[in-house]
Protein backbone atom coordinates (compact mmCIF):
# COMPACT_ATOMS: atom_id res chain seq x y z
CA UNK A 1 0.00 0.00 0.00
CA UNK A 2 0.99 3.61 -0.35
CA UNK A 3 1.22 4.00 3.42
CA UNK A 4 3.57 1.05 3.63
CA UNK A 5 5.69 2.48 0.81
CA UNK A 6 5.89 5.83 2.52
CA UNK A 7 6.91 4.34 5.84
CA UNK A 8 9.49 1.99 4.22
CA UNK A 9 11.04 4.87 2.35
CA UNK A 10 10.94 7.19 5.32
CA UNK A 11 13.21 4.84 7.21
CA UNK A 12 15.77 4.77 4.43
CA UNK A 13 16.05 8.36 3.29
CA UNK A 14 18.24 10.91 5.05
CA UNK A 15 17.78 14.58 4.35
CA UNK A 16 19.78 17.60 5.44
CA UNK A 17 19.14 21.30 5.02
CA UNK A 18 21.54 24.17 4.51
CA UNK A 19 20.89 27.71 5.72
CA UNK A 20 22.85 30.95 5.66
CA UNK A 21 23.09 33.66 8.34
CA UNK A 22 20.34 36.22 7.68
CA UNK A 23 21.20 39.86 7.07
CA UNK A 24 18.03 41.56 8.32
CA UNK A 25 15.44 41.05 11.02
CA UNK A 26 12.86 40.12 8.43
CA UNK A 27 15.18 37.51 6.94
CA UNK A 28 15.85 36.19 10.42
CA UNK A 29 12.13 35.71 10.96
CA UNK A 30 11.85 33.79 7.68
CA UNK A 31 14.85 31.67 8.63
CA UNK A 32 13.32 30.57 11.94
CA UNK A 33 9.97 29.78 10.38
CA UNK A 34 11.80 27.64 7.84
CA UNK A 35 13.92 25.88 10.45
CA UNK A 36 10.91 24.99 12.58
CA UNK A 37 8.94 23.72 9.59
CA UNK A 38 11.81 21.63 8.22
CA UNK A 39 12.70 20.32 11.69
CA UNK A 40 9.43 18.34 11.61
CA UNK A 41 11.03 16.20 8.87
CA UNK A 42 13.73 15.04 11.31
CA UNK A 43 16.73 15.87 9.10
CA UNK A 44 19.95 13.99 9.77
CA UNK A 45 21.60 17.37 10.23
CA UNK A 46 21.21 21.00 9.27
CA UNK A 47 24.13 23.22 8.36
CA UNK A 48 24.85 26.94 8.38
CA UNK A 49 27.25 28.53 5.90
CA UNK A 50 30.15 30.73 6.84
CA UNK A 51 32.23 33.28 5.05
CA UNK A 52 32.56 36.35 2.93
CA UNK A 53 28.97 36.46 1.78
CA UNK A 54 27.40 35.46 5.03
CA UNK A 55 29.18 37.46 7.72
CA UNK A 56 31.50 36.36 10.46
CA UNK A 57 32.04 33.03 12.16
CA UNK A 58 30.31 34.38 15.25
CA UNK A 59 27.04 34.72 13.37
CA UNK A 60 27.32 31.18 12.09
CA UNK A 61 28.15 29.95 15.57
CA UNK A 62 25.25 31.86 17.19
CA UNK A 63 22.72 30.38 14.77
CA UNK A 64 24.17 26.89 15.21
CA UNK A 65 23.88 27.19 18.99
CA UNK A 66 20.33 28.52 18.72
CA UNK A 67 19.25 25.72 16.34
CA UNK A 68 20.72 23.16 18.71
CA UNK A 69 18.99 24.55 21.75
CA UNK A 70 15.64 25.39 20.13
CA UNK A 71 15.21 22.24 18.02
CA UNK A 72 17.62 19.62 19.34
CA UNK A 73 18.74 18.94 15.76
CA UNK A 74 22.32 18.09 14.86
CA UNK A 75 23.59 21.48 13.71
CA UNK A 76 26.77 21.60 11.65
CA UNK A 77 28.67 24.85 11.12
CA UNK A 78 30.53 25.33 7.85
CA UNK A 79 34.13 26.32 8.46
CA UNK A 80 36.58 27.69 5.90
CA UNK A 81 40.33 27.64 6.33
CA UNK A 82 41.83 30.18 3.91
CA UNK A 83 41.06 33.14 6.13
CA UNK A 84 42.49 31.89 9.45
CA UNK A 85 45.77 30.66 10.90
CA UNK A 86 46.22 27.06 11.97
CA UNK A 87 46.19 28.20 15.61
CA UNK A 88 42.92 30.07 15.12
CA UNK A 89 41.38 27.06 13.39
CA UNK A 90 42.39 24.77 16.26
CA UNK A 91 40.87 27.20 18.74
CA UNK A 92 37.64 27.40 16.76
CA UNK A 93 37.48 23.60 16.60
CA UNK A 94 38.07 23.28 20.36
CA UNK A 95 35.35 25.85 21.05
CA UNK A 96 32.91 23.95 18.86
CA UNK A 97 33.75 20.63 20.51
CA UNK A 98 33.40 22.16 23.99
CA UNK A 99 29.98 23.49 22.98
CA UNK A 100 28.81 20.02 22.00
CA UNK A 101 29.16 20.57 18.26
CA UNK A 102 30.35 17.34 16.67
CA UNK A 103 29.70 17.81 12.94
CA UNK A 104 31.57 20.35 10.81
CA UNK A 105 31.34 21.04 7.07
CA UNK A 106 35.02 21.60 6.27
CA UNK A 107 35.84 23.84 3.33
CA UNK A 108 38.68 25.83 1.95
CA UNK A 109 36.65 28.90 1.01
CA UNK A 110 36.96 31.02 -2.11
CA UNK A 111 40.15 32.95 -2.71
CA UNK A 112 39.46 36.70 -2.66
CA UNK A 113 40.20 38.29 -6.05
CA UNK A 114 43.85 39.24 -6.52
CA UNK A 115 45.19 37.04 -3.74
CA UNK A 116 47.87 34.40 -4.30
CA UNK A 117 47.17 30.68 -4.13
CA UNK A 118 46.46 29.52 -0.59
CA UNK A 119 48.85 27.59 1.63
CA UNK A 120 46.06 25.46 2.96
CA UNK A 121 43.38 23.33 1.34
CA UNK A 122 40.28 21.63 2.68
CA UNK A 123 42.15 18.30 3.05
CA UNK A 124 44.52 20.05 5.50
CA UNK A 125 41.54 21.39 7.44
CA UNK A 126 40.02 17.92 7.72
CA UNK A 127 43.29 16.63 9.16
CA UNK A 128 43.56 19.57 11.56
CA UNK A 129 40.01 19.01 12.81
CA UNK A 130 40.60 15.28 13.28
CA UNK A 131 43.75 16.11 15.27
CA UNK A 132 41.66 18.24 17.62
CA UNK A 133 38.83 15.74 18.13
CA UNK A 134 36.86 13.00 16.41
CA UNK A 135 34.47 15.29 14.53
CA UNK A 136 31.93 14.02 12.02
CA UNK A 137 33.09 15.84 8.88
CA UNK A 138 31.41 16.69 5.59
CA UNK A 139 33.38 18.06 2.64
CA UNK A 140 32.53 19.54 -0.76
CA UNK A 141 32.58 17.67 -4.07
CA UNK A 142 32.15 18.95 -7.63
CA UNK A 143 30.41 16.75 -10.23
CA UNK A 144 31.22 19.40 -12.86
CA UNK A 145 34.79 19.89 -11.55
CA UNK A 146 35.89 22.74 -9.28
CA UNK A 147 36.83 25.80 -11.38
CA UNK A 148 40.43 25.86 -10.11
CA UNK A 149 41.17 22.15 -10.50
CA UNK A 150 43.96 21.22 -12.93
CA UNK A 151 41.81 18.39 -14.28
CA UNK A 152 38.77 16.30 -13.40
CA UNK A 153 41.14 13.57 -12.18
CA UNK A 154 43.07 16.04 -9.98
CA UNK A 155 39.79 17.14 -8.44
CA UNK A 156 38.80 13.53 -7.68
CA UNK A 157 42.27 12.91 -6.20
CA UNK A 158 41.63 15.92 -3.98
CA UNK A 159 38.31 14.50 -2.82
CA UNK A 160 40.08 11.23 -2.04
CA UNK A 161 42.64 13.12 0.05
CA UNK A 162 39.82 14.72 2.02
CA UNK A 163 38.18 11.35 2.65
CA UNK A 164 41.49 9.69 3.51
CA UNK A 165 42.10 12.52 6.00
CA UNK A 166 38.86 11.54 7.74
CA UNK A 167 35.88 13.12 5.98
CA UNK A 168 32.72 11.08 6.52
CA UNK A 169 30.71 12.24 3.51
CA UNK A 170 30.81 14.60 0.56
CA UNK A 171 28.11 17.07 -0.38
CA UNK A 172 28.07 18.16 -3.99
CA UNK A 173 27.89 21.56 -5.54
CA UNK A 174 24.41 22.03 -7.02
CA UNK A 175 23.85 20.68 -10.53
CA UNK A 176 21.11 20.08 -13.08
CA UNK A 177 22.82 17.49 -15.25
CA UNK A 178 21.93 14.27 -13.46
CA UNK A 179 24.00 12.11 -15.85
CA UNK A 180 27.07 14.10 -14.90
CA UNK A 181 26.38 13.53 -11.20
CA UNK A 182 25.92 9.80 -11.75
CA UNK A 183 29.16 9.52 -13.72
CA UNK A 184 30.95 11.42 -10.98
CA UNK A 185 29.52 9.09 -8.34
CA UNK A 186 30.75 6.10 -10.37
CA UNK A 187 34.24 7.60 -10.72
CA UNK A 188 34.41 8.18 -6.97
CA UNK A 189 33.46 4.56 -6.34
CA UNK A 190 36.10 3.42 -8.85
CA UNK A 191 38.71 5.43 -6.93
CA UNK A 192 37.70 3.77 -3.65
CA UNK A 193 36.15 6.91 -2.26
CA UNK A 194 33.89 4.97 0.04
CA UNK A 195 31.62 7.66 1.43
CA UNK A 196 28.24 8.93 0.30
CA UNK A 197 28.41 11.53 -2.45
CA UNK A 198 25.32 13.39 -1.39
CA UNK A 199 23.67 15.49 -4.10
CA UNK A 200 23.26 19.14 -3.16
CA UNK A 201 19.87 20.17 -4.53
CA UNK A 202 19.19 23.80 -5.34
CA UNK A 203 15.50 24.54 -5.92
CA UNK A 204 15.13 27.15 -8.64
CA UNK A 205 12.37 29.67 -9.03
CA UNK A 206 14.29 32.52 -10.53
CA UNK A 207 16.49 32.18 -13.60
CA UNK A 208 18.37 35.46 -13.07
CA UNK A 209 19.44 34.42 -9.59
CA UNK A 210 20.35 30.96 -10.85
CA UNK A 211 22.51 32.36 -13.65
CA UNK A 212 24.37 34.45 -11.08
CA UNK A 213 25.04 31.41 -8.85
CA UNK A 214 25.97 29.28 -11.84
CA UNK A 215 28.45 31.82 -13.13
CA UNK A 216 30.16 32.07 -9.73
CA UNK A 217 30.50 28.29 -9.50
CA UNK A 218 30.99 27.22 -13.13
CA UNK A 219 27.87 25.06 -13.01
CA UNK A 220 26.29 24.37 -16.38
CA UNK A 221 22.72 25.61 -16.76
CA UNK A 222 21.24 23.36 -19.47
CA UNK A 223 19.20 24.84 -22.30
CA UNK A 224 16.10 22.90 -21.29
CA UNK A 225 16.17 24.68 -17.93
CA UNK A 226 16.66 28.13 -19.47
CA UNK A 227 13.84 27.31 -21.86
CA UNK A 228 11.54 26.31 -18.98
CA UNK A 229 11.97 29.74 -17.38
CA UNK A 230 11.85 31.84 -20.53
CA UNK A 231 9.07 34.47 -20.74
CA UNK A 232 7.91 34.11 -17.14
CA UNK A 233 10.16 36.73 -15.48
CA UNK A 234 7.08 38.74 -14.51
CA UNK A 235 4.96 35.75 -13.58
CA UNK A 236 6.06 34.56 -10.15
CA UNK A 237 3.20 32.09 -9.83
CA UNK A 238 4.14 30.17 -12.96
CA UNK A 239 7.83 30.38 -12.04
CA UNK A 240 6.99 28.71 -8.77
CA UNK A 241 5.13 25.85 -10.44
CA UNK A 242 7.86 25.37 -13.02
CA UNK A 243 10.59 25.43 -10.38
CA UNK A 244 8.69 22.94 -8.26
CA UNK A 245 8.15 20.61 -11.21
CA UNK A 246 11.88 20.68 -12.08
CA UNK A 247 12.83 20.02 -8.46
CA UNK A 248 10.38 17.12 -8.01
CA UNK A 249 11.55 15.46 -11.24
CA UNK A 250 15.12 15.76 -10.10
CA UNK A 251 14.68 14.10 -6.71
CA UNK A 252 12.52 11.36 -8.21
CA UNK A 253 15.17 10.47 -10.80
CA UNK A 254 17.93 10.55 -8.18
CA UNK A 255 15.88 8.30 -5.93
CA UNK A 256 15.40 5.85 -8.79
CA UNK A 257 19.18 5.90 -9.26
CA UNK A 258 19.62 4.71 -5.70
CA UNK A 259 20.26 8.03 -3.97
CA UNK A 260 19.02 7.89 -0.38
CA UNK A 261 20.74 10.95 1.12
CA UNK A 262 19.77 14.40 -0.07
CA UNK A 263 21.16 17.81 0.93
CA UNK A 264 18.93 20.80 0.19
CA UNK A 265 20.20 24.34 -0.38
CA UNK A 266 17.13 25.91 1.16
CA UNK A 267 18.08 29.58 0.63
CA UNK A 268 16.45 29.88 4.07
CA UNK A 269 13.00 29.00 2.73
CA UNK A 270 11.11 25.87 3.67
CA UNK A 271 8.52 25.59 0.92
CA UNK A 272 10.35 23.86 -1.95
CA UNK A 273 12.56 21.69 0.23
CA UNK A 274 9.52 20.58 2.22
CA UNK A 275 7.68 19.69 -0.99
CA UNK A 276 10.64 17.72 -2.36
CA UNK A 277 10.87 15.79 0.89
CA UNK A 278 7.14 15.09 0.72
CA UNK A 279 7.59 13.70 -2.79
CA UNK A 280 10.32 11.42 -1.47
CA UNK A 281 8.03 10.17 1.27
CA UNK A 282 9.88 12.10 3.99
CA UNK A 283 7.04 13.56 6.03
CA UNK A 284 6.45 14.84 9.56
P1 LIG B 1 39.42 22.17 -1.73
O1 LIG B 1 38.89 20.81 -1.56
O2 LIG B 1 40.63 22.56 -0.97
O3 LIG B 1 39.69 22.36 -3.30
C1 LIG B 1 39.86 23.66 -3.86
C2 LIG B 1 40.53 23.58 -5.22
O4 LIG B 1 41.92 23.37 -5.04
C3 LIG B 1 40.06 22.44 -6.11
O5 LIG B 1 40.11 22.90 -7.44
C4 LIG B 1 41.08 21.36 -5.86
O6 LIG B 1 41.15 20.44 -6.93
C5 LIG B 1 42.34 22.18 -5.70
N1 LIG B 1 43.37 21.61 -4.82
C6 LIG B 1 43.17 20.96 -3.64
N2 LIG B 1 44.36 20.66 -3.09
C7 LIG B 1 45.33 21.14 -3.91
C8 LIG B 1 46.74 21.17 -3.88
N3 LIG B 1 47.42 20.62 -2.86
N4 LIG B 1 47.39 21.77 -4.89
C9 LIG B 1 46.72 22.34 -5.92
N5 LIG B 1 45.38 22.35 -6.01
C10 LIG B 1 44.69 21.77 -5.02
N6 LIG B 1 32.29 28.68 0.79
C11 LIG B 1 32.27 29.50 1.85
O7 LIG B 1 33.00 30.51 1.87
N7 LIG B 1 31.45 29.27 2.95
C12 LIG B 1 30.63 28.20 2.99
O8 LIG B 1 29.90 28.03 3.99
C13 LIG B 1 30.62 27.28 1.89
N8 LIG B 1 29.85 26.18 1.90
C14 LIG B 1 29.91 25.28 0.86
C15 LIG B 1 29.16 24.09 0.92
C16 LIG B 1 29.20 23.17 -0.12
C17 LIG B 1 28.39 21.89 0.00
C18 LIG B 1 29.99 23.44 -1.28
C19 LIG B 1 30.02 22.48 -2.43
C20 LIG B 1 30.75 24.60 -1.34
C21 LIG B 1 30.74 25.54 -0.28
N9 LIG B 1 31.51 26.71 -0.29
C22 LIG B 1 31.48 27.56 0.78
C23 LIG B 1 32.35 27.04 -1.47
C24 LIG B 1 33.81 26.55 -1.32
O9 LIG B 1 34.46 27.22 -0.26
C25 LIG B 1 34.53 26.86 -2.64
O10 LIG B 1 34.01 26.05 -3.67
C26 LIG B 1 36.04 26.78 -2.60
O11 LIG B 1 36.55 27.42 -3.77
C27 LIG B 1 36.62 25.38 -2.57
O12 LIG B 1 36.41 24.80 -1.36
P2 LIG B 1 36.75 23.23 -1.13
O13 LIG B 1 36.53 22.94 0.29
O14 LIG B 1 36.09 22.42 -2.14
O15 LIG B 1 38.34 23.28 -1.44
Amino acid sequence: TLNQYVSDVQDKINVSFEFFPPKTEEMEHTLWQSIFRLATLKPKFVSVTYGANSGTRDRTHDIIKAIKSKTGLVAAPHLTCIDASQEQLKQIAKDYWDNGIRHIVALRGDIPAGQPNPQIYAADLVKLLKDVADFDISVAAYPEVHPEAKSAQADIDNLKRKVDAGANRAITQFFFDIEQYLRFRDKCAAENINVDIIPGILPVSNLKQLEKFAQMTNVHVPNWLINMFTNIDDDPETRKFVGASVAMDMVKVLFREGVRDFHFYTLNRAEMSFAMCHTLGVRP
Side-chain angles (χ1 to χ4, degrees), residues 28-47:
E28 176 144 9
H29 180 73
T30 309
L31 170 68
W32 281 105
Q33 289 209 313
S34 304
I35 291 173
F36 286 128
R37 179 134 197 252
L38 294 171
T40 63
L41 301 175
K42 302 194 177 65
K44 186 168 176 184
F45 66 92
V46 301
S47 77

Side-chain angles (χ1 to χ4, degrees), residues 239-259:
R239 276 198 275 125
K240 212 161 107 178
F241 284 126
V242 168
S245 154
V246 168
M248 305 306 159
D249 283 351
M250 192 154 169
V251 294
K252 278 191 267 182
V253 173
L254 289 168
F255 179 80
R256 255 187 266 128
E257 293 290 345
V259 173

Side-chain angles (χ1 to χ4, degrees), residues 37 172 260 275:
R37 179 134 197 252
T172 75
R260 293 295 178 269

Side-chain angles (χ1 to χ4, degrees), residues 176-187:
F176 301 100
D177 184 342
I178 292 183
E179 287 295 320
Q180 185 94 359
Y181 162 79
L182 295 172
R183 278 196 295 273
F184 178 74
R185 192 179 62 169
D186 289 346
K187 270 191 226 154

Side-chain angles (χ1 to χ4, degrees), residues 154-188:
D155 214 25
I156 295 232
D157 294 345
N158 177 49
L159 179 58
K160 177 136 174 64
R161 279 197 296 276
K162 295 196 275 194
V163 172
D164 288 346
N168 303 88
R169 72 189 65 69
I171 302 171
T172 75
Q173 182 63 277
F174 69 89
F175 60 88
F176 301 100
D177 184 342
I178 292 183
E179 287 295 320
Q180 185 94 359
Y181 162 79
L182 295 172
R183 278 196 295 273
F184 178 74
R185 192 179 62 169
D186 289 346
K187 270 191 226 154
C188 291

Side-chain angles (χ1 to χ4, degrees), residues 24-222:
T24 63
E25 249 173 58
E26 197 188 332
M27 281 169 74
E28 176 144 9
H29 180 73
T30 309
L31 170 68
W32 281 105
Q33 289 209 313
S34 304
I35 291 173
F36 286 128
R37 179 134 197 252
L38 294 171
T40 63
L41 301 175
K42 302 194 177 65
K44 186 168 176 184
F45 66 92
V46 301
S47 77
V48 178
T49 62
Y50 162 71
N53 298 321
S54 55
T56 66
R57 177 181 70 92
D58 290 342
R59 294 185 57 220
T60 300
H61 192 179
D62 289 346
I63 297 165
I64 288 287
K65 267 198 294 197
I67 293 176
K68 221 164 138 332
S69 69
K70 288 184 191 181
T71 67
L73 293 174
V74 173
H78 292 212
L79 179 60
T80 60
C81 59
I82 47 162
D83 35 15
S85 70
Q86 307 243 348
E87 269 323 302
Q88 283 168 326
L89 292 167
K90 278 184 195 151
Q91 197 51 53
I92 291 169
K94 280 194 191 112
D95 277 357
Y96 276 141
W97 189 265
D98 292 344
N99 280 289
I101 289 154
R102 298 287 181 264
H103 183 168
I104 292 182
V105 183
L107 304 143
R108 188 199 65 184
D110 284 319
I111 308 170
Q115 288 209 4
N117 278 352
Q119 301 298 310
I120 182 169
Y121 289 93
D124 307 308
L125 177 61
V126 174
K127 178 163 190 325
L128 180 148
L129 292 172
K130 281 287 184 186
D131 285 345
V132 171
D134 192 16
F135 284 104
D136 187 11
I137 296 176
S138 298
V139 291
Y142 302 86
E144 296 181 39
V145 185
H146 185 268
E148 285 162 45
K150 288 198 188 78
S151 65
Q153 185 60 44
D155 214 25
I156 295 232
D157 294 345
N158 177 49
L159 179 58
K160 177 136 174 64
R161 279 197 296 276
K162 295 196 275 194
V163 172
D164 288 346
N168 303 88
R169 72 189 65 69
I171 302 171
T172 75
Q173 182 63 277
F174 69 89
F175 60 88
F176 301 100
D177 184 342
I178 292 183
E179 287 295 320
Q180 185 94 359
Y181 162 79
L182 295 172
R183 278 196 295 273
F184 178 74
R185 192 179 62 169
D186 289 346
K187 270 191 226 154
C188 291
E191 299 281 341
N192 287 318
I193 298 174
N194 297 318
V195 297
D196 284 325
I197 310 293
I198 303 177
I201 311 286
L202 179 71
V204 180
S205 62
N206 181 330
L207 190 61
K208 292 223 166 67
Q209 190 188 40
L210 171 64
E211 282 175 331
K212 208 176 81 190
F213 284 155
Q215 206 188 6
M216 291 186 324
T217 49
N218 251 0
V219 170
H220 177 60
V221 181

